[in-house]
Amino acid sequence: MSLRGDVCVLVSCVLLSLFSDVLSLTEQKLTGSLNGKWSLSNSNGSLWLPAQVPGCVHTALQQQGFIQDPYFRFNDLSYRWIALDNWTYTTTFTVSTQLRSKQKVLLVFDGVDTVASILLNGVVVGETDNMFRRYDFSVGELLNDGDNVLKVDLLSPVVYASERRKAHSAYRVPPECPPDVQKGECHVNFIRKEQSSFSWDWGPSFPTMGLWRDVRLEAFNVLQLLQVSSVPLYNSGLSSWRIQLELHVDSVQTTNGRITLSIPELDSEETFDAQFGPGKTKNGFTLHINTSADVKLWWPNGHGDQPFYCLSIRGSQDGILVLSTESKVYFRTVELVQEPIVGSPGLSFYFRINGKPIFLKGSNWIPAHSFQDRVAPAVLRNLLQSAADANMNALRVWGGGVYEQDLFYSLCDELGIMVWQDFMFACAMYPTADDFIQTVREEVIQQVRRLKSHPSIVIWSGNNENEAALATDWFNIPVTQKPVYLKDYVTLYVDNIRAIVQQEDQSRPFLVSSPTNGAESEQEGWVAGNPYDPHYGDTHFYSYVLDCWDWRTFPQTRFASEYGFQSWPSFSTLQPVSVKEDWSYSSNFSSHRQHHEDGNRQMLLQAALHFNLPNSTDPLRRFSDTLYITQVMQAECVKTQTEFYRRSRSEIVEGKGHTMGALYWQLNDIWQAPSWSSIEFGGKWKMLHYFAQDFFAAVLPVGFEDADTLLIYAVSDLSDDLQLRAAVTVYSWADPDLACTLKSDLLPVPGGSAVVILKQPVAALLAGCGHCTRLTCLLTFHLEDGGGEQHGPTNHHFLCSPKDAEGLQRPNITAKVEEDETGGSYSVTLHSDSVAPFVWLDVGNVPGRFTSNGFLMVTRSTTVSFTAWRPTSVAELSRSLSVTSLRDVY
Ligand SMILES: *[C@@H]1O[C@H](CO)[C@@H](O)[C@H](O)[C@H]1NC(C)=O
Ligand SMILES: *[C@@H]1O[C@H](CO)[C@@H](O)[C@H](O)[C@H]1NC(C)=O
Ligand SMILES: *[C@@H]1O[C@H](CO)[C@@H](O)[C@H](O)[C@H]1NC(C)=O
Ligand SMILES: *[C@@H]1O[C@H](CO)[C@@H](O)[C@H](O)[C@H]1NC(C)=O
Ligand SMILES: *[C@@H]1O[C@H](CO)[C@@H](O)[C@H](O)[C@H]1NC(C)=O
Ligand SMILES: *[C@@H]1O[C@H](CO)[C@@H](O)[C@H](O)[C@H]1NC(C)=O
């Protein structure tokens, strides 16, 4: 809750914090960290072990060798007992007389997971019931001269949730339990805890317990700063900015002082008289920015830079400087535009950043590990950099996980990744008992105050899919009882969460749910008849049985906030958590890791629509080929769907369209298992993520067929207008040297638009290329300007399913690895004697990333680079490298 994560690093920020978050007459606040080695025991005392804080019980048990890797094979089932037991964390510490003599001493927990009684020297100082809250307890009078004993008694979250369910006897609050296939625990909606920790359709059940954030003592005489937030607001009438600064202060007594705010770079400075306390108070100040100054704006990735300014905050009492700190300020505006569209029923739904309509490109974020203490900064950096490098500009922090750590949002600020931030409620009805509402209120207040200074967050959203669950009756609620649930829904998300957010943060929009019809849902009493209506708001859409190559199956929505297909991670990711007998698609292990009903079969059914399924007689080869084919299927399906959304940005067809967002489900994985992710647990990119680099490119050619006519759209997210033509090359499956090309006329492609640039019956196209039929040829295409310069990636269009392709040979691909002259990076040069689709390079467990992968080889040779994330060598890479293409698996 301090400014640590936020300290400005600009050269222009010359002021360092004199006393980091100190505001007192003469003395500093004293802080004593209680992080480190605690001891941990279970309820009957059979287990005693050291435990790291921050941390959780599972991690401690593993570190001390009491359990294996919880992710290994079936260990999620074997270790179910851990969350059914109660656990106690204990630490003994001494404090200086100086600290004890302060007027106020607080025991602060930044995160307790979840239900606990806290005892200091045998006295209960407080209770907790919400993982998402910071708790502090006044403990001055309880501290001893010598040893102090601090105990945190944690109650089994599974038992607690079930007890709360029993106590709620008037009506059920569904779902009672997750589907059997998830092998999870029940009633997670009764506990304010990461909802996916009781299992999800992509993750295991590890209901964690522990102290998952910092623990410390804070002592002061007069007052202390709890939180600083700064939110820039733009007045379009005056064309001027102002910064709303809030100081949240805990004060022993009423204290007067003066606060000076300044941004020297913008020639702006103002001084205010301020009165703090007594108790916890919020003081607001407004710094007006000199209108003549040219304010540099924060832009989403791909639309500009992410500059910031240092806001200096100084506090003085009787002319003595007692506070000096600084806060990063990024200037940007965000509007969610919902207004009538000519030629279409319904309302638009798009984001305008700094006045510019922006197409949101990206994915959905889930917790990066079941055990949050394992989410190291490097893990976050790698995942978020991977998002930015795939040309994403947005991520939705999904409502069944956690409000992420500060670093997550700071990185998004720096990378230009817009965050759609859900509140942590997902796929369920929730109780509205007084104590539940009260703890949620505190959670929401704290999280909004903690996060609202981040420009990356562009929207708050109340929950994941709960409007849809209620509207489309996921839980078989009798019609007569529906009003009870509607009332609870409005109470929780509208009367409480929305009201608090609107009070605390006027700088960004709030949506009650996702998917939702937005303004239309509000009109319909907050729960629309059909929250999936493509004429309003956002949609989530999944179909595993319909042919994903057929764009007609996708809703032409205003905003696609969830859609996707599953795939398996690669063998090198599965290997450390499995043994030989697991390495088959039909093994118990393969079924066990699949948490989505019928998921393994669905992947093969979808793949079989267009590809021959692997049938090697070598069982291990067949298994790894099957993993590969699921990734090919997923990459091609999500590509097709995303390209459909991107090309729909400018048009209205039968009243639908003006799509302005494509966030596929899901970016990352929580463990090594099949899921909708594009990045495997551990950070390895699936084929889909390599494809995303292209299908999210700023300028993109999209090709598809409508009634046997080939259409190519030019999609541009640029600000500038271009003149482009489509260049199509027709290749023969049988022979890479047989090709003919066709170019369209130059056409204007306005910035921020999708336009038809080529329209040609397939028959005419093939007729122009003598030897070709649908079965013998395929197309690649790109966009180029009048000078012949290519804009955006080269794309492909298959005229038949590759399984029907005539002349497709098993290629002989040879690869040569060389170290680049600069060192640390390697090049892989491939030679192929025939056309090879979906060429996949895999270097096993050598972590790193290729520049391109899963590509179509229509030329005889190509070179890609590999950047390793640890030292490696040409020898190791050559040994590890395998090359697979479509024709190799059958
Ligand atoms: C103590 O609890 C552990 C873990 O729940 C259990 O395995 C063990 O049987 C218990 N011991 C006794 C003596 O009850
Ligand atoms: C955990 O604590 C609860 C509440 O005190 C108690 O009912 C339950 O029996 C305890 N569980 C175990 C395994 O001791
Ligand atoms: C605004 O900027 C101008 C030019 O730099 C300066 O003369 C003026 O004093 C500034 N006004 C304020 C209120 O800072
Ligand atoms: C798979 O699981 C079933 C049911 O648990 C068990 O009977 C069978 O022996 C297991 N098969 C293998 C190969 O482990
Ligand atoms: C594959 O290509 C390489 C290099 O061009 C060649 O040496 C080798 O004999 C070929 N293998 C087969 C099976 O054709
Ligand atoms: C694998 O499938 C292909 C295509 O159907 C077929 O030609 C081939 O004979 C099969 N191989 C085996 C080993 O069954």
Side-chain angles (χ1 to χ4, degrees):
M1 295 285 156
S2 77
L3 280 175
R4 259 163 306 168
D6 250 358
V7 170
C8 297
V9 289
L10 258 192
V11 185
S12 65
C13 287
V14 284
L15 269 182
L16 292 175
S17 293
L18 283 184
F19 332 120
S20 103
D21 50 324
V22 181
L23 192 64
S24 72
L25 256 176
T26 51
E27 284 171 308
Q28 290 189 28
K29 168 178 122 185
L30 291 177
T31 303
S33 171
L34 296 174
N35 291 347
K37 196 165 274 183
W38 290 45
S39 72
L40 177 63
S41 62
N42 64 339
S43 59
N44 68 16
S46 67
L47 292 167
W48 280 93
L49 57 150
Q52 195 65 32
V53 169
C56 69
V57 172
H58 289 83
T59 305
L61 287 168
Q62 188 190 354
Q63 270 165 358
Q64 295 304 313
F66 286 95
I67 60 171
Q68 287 179 306
D69 177 359
Y71 282 176
F72 186 68
R73 301 196 76 205
F74 307 86
N75 279 346
D76 52 322
L77 300 184
S78 314
Y79 300 152
R80 193 174 164 226
W81 61 272
I82 296 169
L84 300 176
D85 207 343
N86 304 322
W87 295 84
T88 299
Y89 277 83
T90 310
T91 189
T92 304
F93 61 92
T94 55
V95 288
S96 63
T97 356
Q98 207 195 355
L99 186 145
R100 278 208 302 130
S101 64
K102 296 283 184 192
Q103 288 280 317
K104 193 158 184 183
V105 184
L106 293 175
L107 172 60
V108 180
F109 293 85
D110 279 343
V112 180
D113 179 14
T114 294
V115 182
S117 288
I118 292 158
L119 294 91
L120 180 58
N121 296 326
V123 178
V124 176
V125 297
E127 319 245 299
T128 68
D129 64 4
N130 189 330
M131 171 185 189
F132 307 122
R133 281 176 58 179
R134 169 193 195 269
Y135 287 91
D136 60 32
F137 308 103
S138 186
V139 295
E141 59 295 351
L142 290 175
L143 290 169
N144 293 330
D145 233 350
D147 282 354
N148 292 279
V149 179
L150 175 60
K151 264 175 130 129
V152 180
D153 281 332
L154 289 160
L155 180 61
S156 157
V158 177
V159 171
Y160 173 83
S162 144
E163 294 294 320
R164 296 288 299 200
R165 161 66 185 98
K166 279 185 212 141
H168 195 284
S169 52
Y171 55 95
R172 68 191 183 99
V173 185
E176 304 272 1
C177 295
D180 290 346
V181 66
Q182 288 178 205
K183 299 161 210 85
E185 303 293 352
C186 301
H187 310 300
V188 71
N189 47 350
F190 280 90
I191 181 169
R192 288 313 295 146
K193 176 172 173 55
E194 178 188 317
Q195 298 289 282
S196 60
S197 68
F198 278 37
S199 81
W200 213 261
D201 59 4
W202 36 253
S205 172
F206 284 115
T208 46
M209 307 164 74
L211 299 169
W212 72 299
R213 295 283 192 240
D214 293 346
V215 184
R216 64 185 172 277
L217 289 168
E218 289 176 351
F220 53 95
N221 279 334
V222 182
L223 54 75
Q224 73 155 339
L225 195 54
L226 295 172
Q227 177 87 57
V228 178
S229 66
S230 53
V231 173
L233 295 170
Y234 187 65
N235 182 323
S236 51
L238 299 174
S239 305
S240 72
W241 288 94
R242 63 189 194 282
I243 295 171
Q244 228 170 43
L245 181 96
E246 278 174 16
L247 299 180
H248 296 272
V249 161
D250 187 1
S251 183
V252 174
Q253 68 212 34
T254 305
T255 312
N256 293 303
R258 285 169 77 73
I259 296 288
T260 300
L261 305 180
S262 67
I263 300 185
E265 233 190 311
L266 292 175
D267 274 342
S268 301
E269 175 167 318
E270 286 180 63
T271 298
F272 309 86
D273 288 326
Q275 188 176 76
F276 300 100
K280 284 184 183 164
T281 50
K282 166 168 107 174
N283 287 63
F285 308 93
T286 303
L287 173 64
H288 295 88
I289 304 299
N290 194 331
T291 51
S292 64
D294 191 11
V295 175
K296 287 175 286 184
L297 301 178
W298 181 95
W299 286 99
N301 185 29
H303 292 271
D305 296 334
Q306 294 77 37
F308 64 86
Y309 293 89
C310 274
L311 171 67
S312 142
I313 304 152
R314 280 164 293 160
S316 62
Q317 271 179 317
D318 306 326
I320 300 164
L321 188 66
V322 291
L323 162 79
S324 179
T325 187
E326 44 195 31
S327 176
K328 274 186 185 177
V329 176
Y330 294 84
F331 291 89
R332 66 111 186 79
T333 62
V334 53
E335 299 155 273
L336 176 60
V337 183
Q338 300 181 74
E339 58 192 24
I341 301 176
V342 176
S344 171
L347 299 171
S348 67
F349 188 92
Y350 68 93
F351 289 87
R352 219 157 35 201
I353 306 292
N354 303 328
K356 178 183 180 186
I358 304 270
F359 191 107
L360 269 65
K361 300 183 289 194
S363 187
N364 285 266
W365 173 271
I366 65 162
H369 204 293
S370 291
F371 312 121
Q372 280 292 317
D373 47 280
R374 296 291 187 80
V375 184
V379 171
L380 288 182
R381 274 178 213 285
N382 189 32
L383 287 169
L384 293 172
Q385 188 69 51
S386 291
D389 289 348
N391 292 312
M392 294 185 180
N393 62 23
L395 290 174
R396 171 167 170 257
V397 176
W398 166 78
V402 298
Y403 306 95
E404 283 296 331
Q405 47 186 295
D406 294 342
L407 178 64
F408 177 94
Y409 301 95
S410 300
L411 290 170
C412 289
D413 294 345
E414 290 165 21
L415 293 166
I417 295 175
M418 293 176 279
V419 174
W420 173 313
Q421 179 67 48
D422 280 0
F423 286 91
M424 295 300 137
F425 302 86
C427 302
M429 302 293 103
Y430 284 85
T432 54
D434 277 353
D435 56 348
F436 189 87
I437 292 286
Q438 283 318 314
T439 199
V440 167
R441 287 183 66 87
E442 188 59 30
E443 163 192 333
V444 172
I445 289 171
Q446 288 186 8
Q447 294 297 342
V448 173
R449 288 179 182 174
R450 178 172 73 96
L451 299 177
K452 68 179 172 181
S453 306
H454 292 282
S456 51
I457 298 176
V458 295
I459 188 166
W460 302 107
S461 177
N463 65 68
N464 172 75
E465 297 183 350
N466 297 351
E467 181 183 343
L470 198 45
T472 61
D473 196 24
W474 292 5
F475 305 126
N476 302 310
I477 292 168
V479 178
T480 52
Q481 280 186 36
K482 198 166 168 191
V484 175
Y485 295 92
L486 276 172
K487 184 166 173 290
D488 279 354
Y489 183 90
V490 173
T491 299
L492 181 58
Y493 305 112
V494 182
D495 299 344
N496 283 284
I497 297 177
R498 179 173 178 266
I500 292 170
V501 174
Q502 291 189 336
Q503 167 86 32
E504 293 288 332
D505 181 12
Q506 289 86 43
S507 74
R508 43 175 77 77
F510 177 89
L511 268 189
V512 179
S513 189
S514 172
T516 181
N517 293 350
E520 172 61 19
S521 289
E522 181 172 351
Q523 289 290 311
E524 295 178 35
W526 302 104
V527 175
N530 172 24
Y532 298 100
D533 190 335
H535 302 98
Y536 297 97
D538 64 328
T539 60
H540 297 184
F541 177 80
Y542 297 95
S543 167
Y544 308 109
V545 289
L546 298 174
D547 179 2
C548 80
W549 285 28
D550 182 0
W551 54 269
R552 289 171 196 79
T553 63
F554 308 130
Q556 201 159 18
T557 171
R558 306 284 190 229
F559 193 108
S561 46
E562 278 195 24
Y563 59 96
F565 294 84
Q566 280 201 331
S567 72
W568 273 81
S570 52
F571 183 70
S572 64
T573 294
L574 293 171
Q575 196 176 13
V577 291
S578 58
V579 298
K580 195 157 181 275
E581 69 177 87
D582 301 332
W583 299 338
S584 111
Y585 203 70
S586 55
S587 69
N588 279 353
F589 174 79
S590 293
S591 310
H592 178 73
R593 304 297 270 214
Q594 174 58 268
H595 279 201
H596 166 63
E597 188 72 54
D598 209 25
N600 286 348
R601 204 177 62 96
Q602 286 168 350
M603 278 183 264
L604 296 189
L605 286 178
Q606 182 64 243
L609 295 177
H610 302 290
F611 308 112
N612 282 314
L613 295 183
N615 65 358
S616 169
T617 48
D618 171 5
L620 184 56
R621 178 69 201 263
R622 183 161 165 176
F623 182 55
S624 60
D625 285 349
T626 306
L627 306 180
Y628 161 83
I629 206 76
T630 65
Q631 290 205 17
V632 171
M633 174 277 291
Q634 180 199 34
E636 198 65 15
C637 286
V638 177
K639 168 186 186 292
T640 308
Q641 194 164 359
T642 305
E643 290 182 348
F644 171 68
Y645 293 135
R646 290 200 65 194
R647 73 165 160 89
S648 297
R649 73 171 284 166
S650 302
E651 66 186 20
I652 292 291
V653 180
E654 291 164 13
K656 290 177 289 203
H658 277 203
T659 307
M660 283 297 281
L663 309 180
Y664 66 76
W665 186 267
Q666 73 208 55
L667 181 76
N668 56 321
D669 259 338
I670 198 168
W671 71 335
Q672 308 90 342
S675 83
W676 295 256
S677 78
S678 62
I679 303 179
E680 301 178 8
F681 181 81
K684 188 169 183 168
W685 285 19
K686 287 180 174 175
M687 196 179 294
L688 170 57
H689 207 80
Y690 286 102
F691 275 40
Q693 276 184 309
D694 282 351
F695 65 62
F696 283 142
V699 176
L700 175 72
V702 175
F704 65 101
E705 286 180 44
D706 192 4
D708 285 324
T709 293
L710 174 74
L711 287 114
I712 294 178
Y713 277 53
V715 182
S716 169
D717 288 345
L718 302 179
S719 303
D720 295 336
D721 302 345
L722 297 170
Q723 292 275 331
L724 297 175
R725 66 161 59 97
V728 181
T729 307
V730 186
Y731 285 98
S732 151
W733 285 112
D735 185 349
D737 296 332
L738 282 180
C740 39
T741 57
L742 162 90
K743 291 188 181 187
S744 69
D745 294 333
L746 279 178
L747 284 174
V749 179
S753 76
V755 298
V756 181
I757 203 149
L758 179 143
K759 192 171 178 182
Q760 171 100 292
V762 173
L765 196 72
L766 292 177
C769 203
H771 54 91
C772 277
T773 68
R774 270 190 178 276
L775 298 185
T776 60
C777 289
L778 72 152
L779 311 177
T780 70
F781 52 92
H782 66 260
L783 299 169
E784 60 185 41
D785 60 25
E789 190 193 336
Q790 180 167 344
H791 292 250
T794 299
N795 208 335
H796 62 258
H797 175 70
F798 297 130
L799 296 163
C800 67
S801 295
K803 67 176 179 180
D804 301 323
E806 282 176 9
L808 176 59
Q809 315 282 318
R810 179 167 302 170
N812 175 15
I813 301 179
T814 55
K816 186 161 196 273
V817 182
E818 286 165 304
E819 186 162 6
D820 289 351
E821 276 165 20
T822 45
S825 165
Y826 298 84
S827 69
V828 182
T829 302
L830 302 175
H831 286 280
S832 177
D833 59 350
S834 47
V835 170
F838 305 104
V839 177
W840 181 247
L841 308 180
D842 193 322
V843 283
N845 57 17
V846 184
R849 196 204 282 177
F850 290 94
T851 43
S852 171
N853 211 347
F855 43 82
L856 172 68
M857 257 184 100
V858 281
T859 51
R860 288 193 185 270
S861 90
T862 191
T863 300
V864 297
S865 300
F866 179 77
T867 306
W869 298 335
R870 66 155 165 80
T872 179
S873 63
V874 169
E876 187 189 28
L877 286 175
S878 304
R879 205 167 50 240
S880 313
L881 179 68
S882 68
V883 183
T884 308
S885 80
L886 194 60
R887 190 60 192 81
D888 295 321
V889 306
Y890 62 92

mmCIF file of all heavy atoms in Angstrom, residues 43-44 84-87 154-156 159 163, ligand 2:
data_model
loop_
_atom_site.group_PDB
_atom_site.id
_atom_site.type_symbol
_atom_site.label_atom_id
_atom_site.label_comp_id
_atom_site.label_asym_id
_atom_site.label_seq_id
_atom_site.Cartn_x
_atom_site.Cartn_y
_atom_site.Cartn_z
ATOM 1 N N SER A 43 -4.068 -28.864 12.592
ATOM 2 C CA SER A 43 -4.916 -28.724 13.783
ATOM 3 C C SER A 43 -4.614 -29.757 14.863
ATOM 4 O O SER A 43 -4.692 -29.435 16.040
ATOM 5 C CB SER A 43 -6.397 -28.764 13.388
ATOM 6 O OG SER A 43 -6.695 -29.977 12.745
ATOM 7 N N ASN A 44 -4.256 -30.998 14.475
ATOM 8 C CA ASN A 44 -3.990 -31.969 15.539
ATOM 9 C C ASN A 44 -2.515 -32.025 15.930
ATOM 10 O O ASN A 44 -2.099 -32.871 16.711
ATOM 11 C CB ASN A 44 -4.546 -33.362 15.166
ATOM 12 C CG ASN A 44 -3.785 -33.990 14.002
ATOM 13 O OD1 ASN A 44 -2.678 -33.561 13.654
ATOM 14 N ND2 ASN A 44 -4.376 -35.020 13.411
ATOM 15 N N LEU A 84 -8.731 -29.243 3.861
ATOM 16 C CA LEU A 84 -9.823 -29.652 4.750
ATOM 17 C C LEU A 84 -9.403 -29.514 6.214
ATOM 18 O O LEU A 84 -10.221 -29.608 7.124
ATOM 19 C CB LEU A 84 -10.236 -31.109 4.461
ATOM 20 C CG LEU A 84 -10.726 -31.372 3.038
ATOM 21 C CD1 LEU A 84 -11.019 -32.852 2.818
ATOM 22 C CD2 LEU A 84 -11.977 -30.541 2.737
ATOM 23 N N ASP A 85 -8.109 -29.305 6.422
ATOM 24 C CA ASP A 85 -7.585 -29.153 7.775
ATOM 25 C C ASP A 85 -7.540 -27.662 8.129
ATOM 26 O O ASP A 85 -7.684 -26.799 7.259
ATOM 27 C CB ASP A 85 -6.178 -29.767 7.826
ATOM 28 C CG ASP A 85 -5.801 -30.251 9.222
ATOM 29 O OD1 ASP A 85 -6.466 -29.832 10.205
ATOM 30 O OD2 ASP A 85 -4.838 -31.035 9.327
ATOM 31 N N ASN A 86 -7.357 -27.391 9.419
ATOM 32 C CA ASN A 86 -7.117 -26.008 9.855
ATOM 33 C C ASN A 86 -5.619 -25.866 10.110
ATOM 34 O O ASN A 86 -4.965 -26.818 10.536
ATOM 35 C CB ASN A 86 -7.862 -25.710 11.156
ATOM 36 C CG ASN A 86 -9.348 -25.983 11.052
ATOM 37 O OD1 ASN A 86 -9.950 -25.713 10.016
ATOM 38 N ND2 ASN A 86 -9.954 -26.520 12.103
ATOM 39 N N TRP A 87 -5.077 -24.695 9.891
ATOM 40 C CA TRP A 87 -3.636 -24.493 10.020
ATOM 41 C C TRP A 87 -3.347 -23.237 10.826
ATOM 42 O O TRP A 87 -4.118 -22.272 10.773
ATOM 43 C CB TRP A 87 -2.993 -24.369 8.640
ATOM 44 C CG TRP A 87 -3.092 -25.625 7.822
ATOM 45 C CD1 TRP A 87 -4.152 -26.021 7.055
ATOM 46 C CD2 TRP A 87 -2.107 -26.658 7.723
ATOM 47 N NE1 TRP A 87 -3.881 -27.239 6.469
ATOM 48 C CE2 TRP A 87 -2.626 -27.657 6.861
ATOM 49 C CE3 TRP A 87 -0.827 -26.844 8.269
ATOM 50 C CZ2 TRP A 87 -1.919 -28.808 6.537
ATOM 51 C CZ3 TRP A 87 -0.122 -27.991 7.940
ATOM 52 C CH2 TRP A 87 -0.663 -28.965 7.085
ATOM 53 N N LEU A 154 -5.962 -20.346 10.870
ATOM 54 C CA LEU A 154 -6.724 -20.360 9.608
ATOM 55 C C LEU A 154 -7.701 -21.524 9.593
ATOM 56 O O LEU A 154 -7.330 -22.668 9.878
ATOM 57 C CB LEU A 154 -5.761 -20.510 8.429
ATOM 58 C CG LEU A 154 -4.880 -19.303 8.119
ATOM 59 C CD1 LEU A 154 -3.673 -19.726 7.299
ATOM 60 C CD2 LEU A 154 -5.678 -18.235 7.380
ATOM 61 N N LEU A 155 -8.917 -21.211 9.258
ATOM 62 C CA LEU A 155 -9.966 -22.225 9.179
ATOM 63 C C LEU A 155 -10.024 -22.771 7.752
ATOM 64 O O LEU A 155 -9.879 -22.006 6.791
ATOM 65 C CB LEU A 155 -11.292 -21.552 9.556
ATOM 66 C CG LEU A 155 -12.554 -22.391 9.552
ATOM 67 C CD1 LEU A 155 -12.472 -23.540 10.543
ATOM 68 C CD2 LEU A 155 -13.746 -21.496 9.909
ATOM 69 N N SER A 156 -10.257 -24.039 7.640
ATOM 70 C CA SER A 156 -10.396 -24.648 6.309
ATOM 71 C C SER A 156 -11.394 -23.848 5.471
ATOM 72 O O SER A 156 -12.548 -23.686 5.862
ATOM 73 C CB SER A 156 -10.890 -26.088 6.453
ATOM 74 O OG SER A 156 -11.526 -26.481 5.245
ATOM 75 N N VAL A 159 -14.405 -26.050 4.560
ATOM 76 C CA VAL A 159 -15.354 -26.236 5.661
ATOM 77 C C VAL A 159 -16.130 -24.937 5.899
ATOM 78 O O VAL A 159 -17.360 -24.946 6.055
ATOM 79 C CB VAL A 159 -14.610 -26.683 6.941
ATOM 80 C CG1 VAL A 159 -15.544 -26.660 8.145
ATOM 81 C CG2 VAL A 159 -13.981 -28.054 6.732
ATOM 82 N N GLU A 163 -20.122 -24.431 5.752
ATOM 83 C CA GLU A 163 -20.860 -23.959 6.933
ATOM 84 C C GLU A 163 -21.731 -22.752 6.582
ATOM 85 O O GLU A 163 -22.886 -22.637 7.004
ATOM 86 C CB GLU A 163 -19.887 -23.547 8.054
ATOM 87 C CG GLU A 163 -19.084 -24.698 8.645
ATOM 88 C CD GLU A 163 -19.959 -25.700 9.382
ATOM 89 O OE1 GLU A 163 -20.889 -25.259 10.069
ATOM 90 O OE2 GLU A 163 -19.723 -26.922 9.222
HETATM 91 C C1 LIG B 2 -11.266 -26.789 12.172
HETATM 92 O O1 LIG B 2 -11.837 -25.836 13.007
HETATM 93 C C2 LIG B 2 -13.256 -25.909 13.049
HETATM 94 C C3 LIG B 2 -13.756 -24.725 13.826
HETATM 95 O O2 LIG B 2 -13.084 -24.614 15.018
HETATM 96 C C4 LIG B 2 -13.674 -27.231 13.656
HETATM 97 O O3 LIG B 2 -15.063 -27.330 13.636
HETATM 98 C C5 LIG B 2 -13.081 -28.344 12.826
HETATM 99 O O4 LIG B 2 -13.343 -29.584 13.435
HETATM 100 C C6 LIG B 2 -11.577 -28.172 12.690
HETATM 101 N N1 LIG B 2 -11.057 -29.157 11.772
HETATM 102 C C7 LIG B 2 -10.139 -30.035 12.126
HETATM 103 C C8 LIG B 2 -9.681 -30.976 11.068
HETATM 104 O O5 LIG B 2 -9.646 -30.067 13.235
#
